[in-house]
Amino acid sequence: MKNIDIVVIGQTGQLSCAYHDLFKHKNNLDNVCFLSRKDLDLTKTSEIAKTLDSLFCNCNVKVVINTAADTAVEDIETHKDRAFQTNAVGPGILASWCAEKNTHFIHFSTDYVYCGDGKIPWKETSETAPLNVYGASKLAGENKIIETACKHLIFRTSWIYSSVGRNFFTTMLQLGESKEELKIICDQIGAPTYAVHLAEISWAAYQKICNKNPFPSGIYNLCSNGFTSWYGFASKIFELAYPLDKKLIVKKITPVKSIEHSSKVCRPLNSRLALEKFQKTFNLDIPHWEAGLKECMEIVYASHPTQD
Ligand SMILES: NC(=O)c1ccc[n+]([C@@H]2O[C@H](COP(=O)([O-])OP(=O)(O)OC[C@H]3O[C@@H](n4cnc5c(N)ncnc54)[C@H](OP(=O)(O)O)[C@@H]3O)[C@@H](O)[C@H]2O)c1
């Protein structure tokens, strides 16, 4: 069997697809193994270590990147056990496996670990107080990873979107083709993060420190630069898409407050993440959210040129 030095948990998600494209672009796919839920189910906790042992017994895996998570924020409210298995217990077992093998572990967490009060960007040291089950399960995952003392990077990110799959960006373009008016939340503020940029910059960060001793294990906020609301994000999507997409019929975007929008999940209003710790540690430029959106737009309309 060929040597695998990078294992990516998750195969169909937004971030894992971005990692796949990144490694393909670097001509590096031969050394990388992507594991789907069928290959390794994070809820089947008793099988995780055995599966990794049997798949990689003859390999010297340098890094495991966990992109998998139960991200169905609304559904999770009524499936707490599944959420904690997938987002906390499973990642803890992955981290233990990495600790035992002296393998590095990269994991992604969320802005939802914070309560969302105020207007000041959250630092990694700010108090955590998740408002919903998703946030609580992701916070528990961070703690389980840290407990194992493996060499880890935990990136807290926010509002991931890409040109594929179901996310805010693709949903807006779909709705814009079927509705003339959209009501979009204007009081939740954060940074829309293009999955391609997140894969690139998290990998670049890891490359910078992978040979460092001691390894700078820890939690790092990592999302796009700049902030906006979902309303601001939607407005920019349509501003850029209108000249390119003749199928769009949406004429009015109305800002609404979270309390006017019916949802069984409480979400943080302030999802601003402070990026100084990441910048100081890795000395890398983080792209602005508008730059990510422009790139994503180019991908969408290059593959589906202006539809008449
Ligand atoms: N999306 C966001 O806005 C956001 C914001 C902050 C942080 N994050 C974090 O960033 C990371 C990447 O998010 P993403 O948006 O790329 O996620 P995503 O698109 O929702 O993909 C999640 C992936 O996890 C897999 N998965 C779910 N349950 C699993 C299980 N029990 N065992 C194995 N795999 C399982 C899914 O597989 P299937 O296709 O089989 O379901 C899918 O491949 C996650 O850690 C997420 O918590 C996301």
Side-chain angles (χ1 to χ4, degrees):
M1 189 195 167
K2 60 185 181 178
N3 189 56
I4 294 294
D5 40 35
I6 304 169
V7 173
V8 182
I9 313 291
Q11 196 178 38
T12 51
Q14 305 185 78
L15 187 56
S16 62
C17 289
Y19 261 111
H20 187 275
D21 289 351
L22 177 73
F23 292 136
K24 191 172 164 195
H25 185 70
K26 289 183 183 293
N27 269 333
N28 208 5
L29 274 181
D30 280 352
N31 309 332
V32 189
C33 180
F34 286 81
L35 298 180
S36 69
R37 187 202 292 248
K38 225 167 104 207
D39 302 318
L40 185 145
D41 186 334
L42 289 172
T43 61
K44 297 187 177 153
T45 49
S46 62
E47 291 173 22
I48 295 173
K50 277 188 255 171
T51 303
L52 293 174
D53 280 340
S54 75
L55 284 174
F56 306 112
C57 58
N58 294 321
C59 302
N60 181 16
V61 179
K62 286 196 188 114
V63 58
V64 170
I65 306 171
N66 180 30
T67 66
D70 199 330
T71 55
V73 176
E74 303 243 343
D75 188 55
I76 277 176
E77 287 296 305
T78 46
H79 295 91
K80 197 172 168 186
D81 287 351
R82 192 190 77 207
F84 273 77
Q85 294 291 95
T86 316
N87 296 342
V89 182
I93 296 169
L94 295 175
S96 289
W97 189 85
C98 289
E100 205 179 286
K101 309 274 187 258
N102 202 23
T103 295
H104 297 149
F105 186 52
I106 301 177
H107 177 80
F108 292 85
S109 188
T110 171
D111 53 308
Y112 279 29
V113 299
Y114 301 110
C115 71
D117 283 352
K119 296 200 164 149
I120 297 170
W122 299 102
K123 290 186 179 166
E124 293 79 352
T125 48
S126 303
E127 192 185 336
T128 50
L131 299 177
N132 54 44
V133 172
Y134 172 70
S137 67
K138 294 293 289 184
L139 180 61
E142 293 181 359
N143 291 332
K144 293 223 174 274
I145 292 162
I146 293 165
E147 273 168 27
T148 69
C150 70
K151 291 177 183 161
H152 63 269
L153 298 176
I154 297 173
F155 294 117
R156 282 185 185 153
T157 190
S158 65
W159 299 16
I160 301 179
Y161 69 94
S162 73
S163 60
V164 290
R166 204 173 140 71
N167 57 61
F168 186 83
F169 171 82
T170 53
T171 302
M172 282 302 109
L173 290 182
Q174 267 167 22
L175 290 175
E177 290 180 1
S178 60
K179 290 187 190 295
E180 292 201 350
E181 184 184 359
L182 296 176
K183 293 187 174 157
I184 309 290
I185 286 172
C186 63
D187 58 354
Q188 293 173 21
I189 310 294
T193 302
Y194 182 34
V196 170
H197 283 177
L198 182 59
E200 284 170 358
I201 198 152
S202 56
W203 185 246
Y206 171 67
Q207 291 293 96
K208 277 207 157 187
I209 51 82
C210 61
N211 294 321
K212 267 204 172 168
N213 196 5
F215 189 85
S217 288
I219 294 174
Y220 297 88
N221 290 342
L222 177 58
C223 57
S224 297
N225 249 314
F227 306 117
T228 188
S229 62
W230 291 112
Y231 168 76
F233 187 30
S235 303
K236 196 73 195 174
I237 292 170
F238 291 120
E239 182 193 312
L240 295 175
Y242 241 104
L244 304 170
D245 192 340
K246 297 212 165 31
K247 281 191 183 165
L248 289 175
I249 59 160
V250 63
K251 293 191 174 62
K252 191 174 172 200
I253 305 167
T254 306
V256 292
K257 297 219 161 159
S258 302
I259 44 165
E260 297 169 56
H261 177 81
S262 82
S263 168
K264 56 182 176 183
V265 187
C266 197
R267 291 178 161 86
L269 296 182
N270 175 21
S271 275
R272 297 169 182 88
L273 299 179
L275 299 173
E276 285 77 9
K277 181 181 175 192
F278 179 90
Q279 276 162 329
K280 209 171 147 204
T281 309
F282 302 103
N283 192 22
L284 288 165
D285 287 334
I286 300 176
H288 193 273
W289 69 266
E290 289 192 32
L293 178 57
K294 280 183 191 142
E295 264 188 44
C296 185
M297 213 51 115
E298 278 163 21
I299 301 278
V300 170
Y301 290 102
S303 49
H304 306 287
T306 309
Q307 299 115 337
D308 289 305

